[in-house]
Amino acid sequence: MAELDLLIRGGSIVDGTGAPAFNGNIGVRDGKIAYIGSSQPRSREVIDATGRFVTPGFIDTHTHYDAQLTWDPYAAPHSLHGVTTVICGNCGFTLAPLSPASKDYLVPMFGKVEGVPLESLDEALNANWSTTAEMLAHFDGKVGVNVGFMTGHSTLRAYVMGERAVGGTPSTDEMEQMKVLLRHALKEGSLGFSSSHAETHTDHHADHVPSFYASHEELLELMSVVSEFEGTFAGYVGGVSGNPSLEDARRLAEVSLAAKRPFSWPAIFPNSQSRERQMEKLASVDVARKMGADVRLQVMSMPTSLHMNFLTGHTLDQLPGIWPSLFACSPAERLERFKDREIRRTMELDALGAAEYFRSRLVWGNLKIANVDSPANAVFVGRMTSEIAREQGKSDFDALMDIVVEDQLATLLMPMALIDESREAWQELVEYVRDDRGIWGGDDGGAHVDMIDSYSHGTRFLENAVRKYGFISLEEAINAFTQRPAEFMGLRDRGVLTIGAWADIVVFDLDTVGVGKTELRKDLPAGGRRLYTPAHGFDYVIVNGRPITTGGSYTGMTPGRVFRSGQDTYTKSLMSEAAE
């Protein structure tokens, strides 16, 4: 055997298929797995994995790293948690194709709807391309993780329809232009087409995003273009405010049938709703299967956890009445208005008219102070607003707003009504991960950066569901993170450790794997804030045969591959077609 580039020896190999772990060595040559066995072929580099598990790299099917990857090749800290492949361009928000006019709208829209600081985008986003081919070429050789991009519905509308993209209906000619643009993008390597009708997706003008105004017929016509190209898939966030009705489920199925591709939609958010309601969501998949479609629910593998603040206002700006206008103001103006007691009374009363989805999250007395900027507020960290209010003789809302004003809006809050990390919560979550109507994902990595750290959900699952409680075997958990998403999306030679597969590999210590302390860091460009949760127990994260992390630190290597449809992906048939 010719000399190997890398030999990982002495580890317990979990190959991603769900098969039992076995002791052995893995050899890598030219980025692919060239040897699996018990001998030790000659190799230029050797990693001693004794006492460690060796698994495929984790595959994240729903992220929004489109912008971050232009300044951060690793999608940090996501890849510290074992993720070697990220799929971007979800929810209809993508950075290609672009025109100068559409870019002026889409960049701040992306920042608002996906919760990425606009100052960071203004300083660091380097989107000096127009076509999908140019965007993909820009990333070639510059990324540490593997990445694939879809093409977004809102992006196409903004390009073709200009200001009419928000609220307008495309003419026959505009509809044809969008289809032509989509065909070009798919031909150039886009992995598919994504869209959204979610009411919560609003732009920087407090309007709904462009795709929200598309008819179901427009959506299906564009989805049908996807079926013309090898190795493509669909992405869609339906406009379902609660659990899907029978008609909602049928419309979701029609998206899959129009594209002739499987797709997954967000999501099972553990503990945010009752088990009964989560099962109702999963039942929409049964409806789709009866229609011959292939639809899955994305399953996040950690209990729901959410942070919020009054600076960016994500979630808060969805409240009725006075709330949207307050978050349309500059932070300085908003701060002054928050000092006004009459405005506070109006805010509190208007919030009572919010949908149940929001009311359950925003119980003013049930918020934990997670992080503060002002030294005067340091004594409140880790405490509940109701407790602080009682001590101060104030209402819950006034106590909260006084802290927020003192903090110049930057107080980080946790709505504790959503957070349940009990033994029973993890046991229920394992059922969702196992269910074949679901697919691991839905963490929105790269988005809502000051609100969520769900990019750590794989690590938390290993730490709790696998090690702490033993509710699921390591082999089954790794299969959910690797082979299942790879096969669902049609990723060639990914998600398993087998001869000829790409060498995306994670080496970790199950006894110590877990998360570190979550912090609010100002480490984005221009001092933008984000939640940062480090990982413990991962010795190596290897992409295409080269380590991008060792001992929790990045190596500086950028071996990631920029996926192109048909080349790095194959067509995944619908379940009905596969059965024929």
Side-chain angles (χ1 to χ4, degrees):
M1 174 182 285
E3 186 178 42
L4 297 169
D5 300 322
L6 174 66
L7 181 69
I8 304 169
R9 71 182 182 195
S12 184
I13 298 170
V14 178
D15 66 9
T17 66
F22 60 94
N23 292 327
N25 307 320
I26 295 180
V28 177
R29 186 187 305 111
D30 297 330
K32 292 190 174 185
I33 297 172
Y35 173 80
I36 299 176
S38 57
S39 63
Q40 297 190 32
R42 289 185 303 115
S43 178
R44 285 192 288 272
E45 183 179 354
V46 176
I47 289 174
D48 185 357
T50 303
R52 301 295 192 258
F53 285 97
V54 181
T55 78
F58 308 162
I59 296 170
D60 196 311
T61 61
H62 190 112
T63 79
H64 293 279
Y65 287 111
D66 311 58
Q68 184 176 328
L69 284 170
T70 65
W71 67 76
D72 167 20
Y74 300 110
H78 206 146
S79 50
L80 292 175
H81 293 267
V83 170
T84 57
T85 294
V86 297
I87 304 299
C88 302
N90 288 283
C91 301
F93 316 132
T94 60
L95 295 177
L98 292 176
S99 68
S102 70
K103 180 180 177 180
D104 287 344
Y105 169 77
L106 287 168
V107 170
M109 182 210 77
F110 181 89
K112 170 58 173 63
V113 75
E114 294 304 341
V116 180
L118 185 56
E119 63 269 25
S120 301
L121 298 177
D122 286 342
E123 178 176 292
L125 175 60
N126 180 17
N128 58 348
W129 55 75
S130 57
T131 67
T132 296
E134 290 168 347
M135 180 184 72
L136 299 183
H138 171 88
F139 287 110
D140 279 330
K142 299 177 183 176
V143 286
V145 292
N146 302 311
V147 58
F149 297 90
M150 288 192 284
T151 300
H153 196 169
S154 287
T155 302
L156 295 181
R157 271 187 152 241
Y159 191 106
V160 171
M161 299 175 65
E163 293 183 358
R164 292 180 52 256
V166 176
T169 300
S171 66
T172 301
D173 182 60
E174 288 170 332
M175 191 68 220
E176 189 56 35
Q177 288 181 56
M178 283 195 282
K179 291 167 70 175
V180 169
L181 269 179
L182 179 55
R183 286 192 179 97
H184 280 307
L186 296 170
K187 185 176 181 180
E188 291 167 350
S190 167
L191 297 188
F193 175 68
S194 69
S195 185
S196 167
H197 277 115
E199 293 183 357
T200 54
H201 286 159
T202 55
D203 68 11
H204 51 297
H205 301 305
D207 292 319
H208 291 297
V209 298
S211 64
F212 179 84
Y213 298 97
S215 66
H216 188 58
E217 290 70 29
E218 177 185 331
L219 172 67
L220 297 185
E221 192 168 347
L222 287 165
M223 282 291 177
S224 69
V225 175
V226 175
S227 67
E228 301 172 15
F229 293 86
E230 170 72 16
T232 52
F233 43 80
Y236 179 54
V237 184
V240 182
S241 58
N243 282 352
S245 65
L246 179 60
E247 182 58 28
D248 291 331
R250 287 173 175 163
R251 289 163 73 89
L252 291 168
E254 287 169 358
V255 172
S256 172
L257 293 171
K260 297 183 180 178
R261 301 287 187 270
F263 85 92
S264 61
W265 65 284
I268 292 288
F269 297 115
N271 315 119
S272 65
Q273 294 181 329
S274 68
R275 174 177 171 78
E276 180 181 4
R277 297 195 68 184
Q278 303 286 25
M279 297 308 290
E280 288 174 3
K281 281 187 177 182
L282 285 167
S284 67
V285 176
D286 298 328
V287 174
R289 287 178 175 176
K290 288 178 181 177
M291 294 174 63
D294 194 352
V295 178
R296 310 284 177 90
L297 265 292
Q298 294 168 14
V299 178
M300 191 168 62
S301 61
M302 62 180 274
T304 298
S305 179
L306 181 68
H307 299 72
M308 63 186 188
N309 65 78
F310 282 78
L311 181 62
T312 56
H314 301 301
T315 298
L316 295 166
D317 59 3
Q318 300 294 313
L319 294 174
I322 195 174
W323 289 81
S325 65
L326 291 170
F327 288 96
C329 297
S330 69
E333 183 180 355
R334 190 183 319 142
L335 180 63
E336 290 305 310
R337 298 189 74 183
F338 284 168
K339 296 176 182 178
D340 188 314
R341 300 287 170 173
E342 289 304 313
I343 288 178
R344 289 190 188 181
R345 298 288 78 76
T346 302
M347 292 169 66
E348 194 169 7
L349 287 171
D350 286 353
L352 296 175
E356 187 275 334
Y357 174 87
F358 294 108
R359 290 200 309 275
S360 66
R361 289 155 171 74
L362 299 175
V363 180
W364 304 122
N366 200 22
L367 301 176
K368 180 187 285 188
I369 309 299
N371 195 286
V372 298
D373 268 17
S374 170
N377 282 339
V379 295
F380 302 132
V381 173
R383 299 181 65 192
M384 303 299 294
T385 46
S386 58
E387 178 188 358
I388 297 166
R390 283 195 303 271
E391 287 182 358
Q392 297 178 341
K394 301 175 182 177
S395 71
D396 293 342
F397 192 68
D398 269 330
L400 167 65
M401 295 309 294
D402 285 345
I403 293 171
V404 167
V405 167
E406 170 64 28
D407 252 341
Q408 303 286 300
L409 310 181
T411 312
L412 191 65
L413 304 161
M414 295 180 69
M416 298 306 292
L418 291 178
I419 299 172
D420 179 5
E421 294 197 352
S422 66
R423 184 180 190 277
E424 292 73 22
W426 283 103
Q427 189 169 27
E428 180 181 331
L429 193 151
V430 166
E431 293 183 39
Y432 301 140
V433 170
R434 280 180 165 148
D435 199 305
D436 74 348
R437 294 170 295 179
I439 197 76
W440 187 70
D443 59 81
D444 249 7
H448 315 298
V449 296
D450 63 340
M451 292 178 63
I452 58 175
D453 64 339
S454 45
Y455 52 76
S456 65
H457 66 140
T459 303
R460 295 179 190 268
F461 192 79
L462 294 175
E463 178 182 10
N464 291 279
V466 176
R467 185 181 75 227
K468 183 176 181 179
Y469 295 116
F471 289 143
I472 187 172
S473 70
L474 177 62
E475 291 88 345
E476 190 175 357
I478 295 300
N479 173 250
F481 299 170
T482 60
Q483 185 184 47
R484 283 177 60 190
E487 290 186 344
F488 180 72
M489 305 199 79
L491 304 181
R492 290 188 190 276
D493 301 321
R494 305 281 174 180
V496 292
L497 300 181
T498 187
I499 301 295
W502 288 98
D504 299 333
I505 302 171
V506 181
V507 180
F508 64 89
D509 179 4
L510 185 59
D511 291 335
T512 61
V513 72
V515 298
K517 181 182 178 181
T518 300
E519 302 174 340
L520 187 65
R521 295 187 178 181
K522 298 180 182 179
D523 65 349
L524 292 179
R529 299 168 181 263
R530 64 166 170 175
L531 296 178
Y532 191 101
T533 302
H536 298 317
F538 290 92
D539 297 292
Y540 296 91
V541 178
I542 298 166
V543 176
N544 299 316
R546 299 176 69 190
I548 64 167
T549 79
T550 61
S553 298
Y554 288 107
T555 64
M557 296 183 182
T558 54
R561 187 176 179 90
V562 180
F563 292 165
R564 287 167 172 81
S565 56
Q567 179 177 322
D568 298 285
T569 59
Y570 60 90
T571 297
K572 181 67 167 58
S573 299
L574 297 182
M575 298 183 77
S576 58
E577 294 174 335
E580 291 177 357

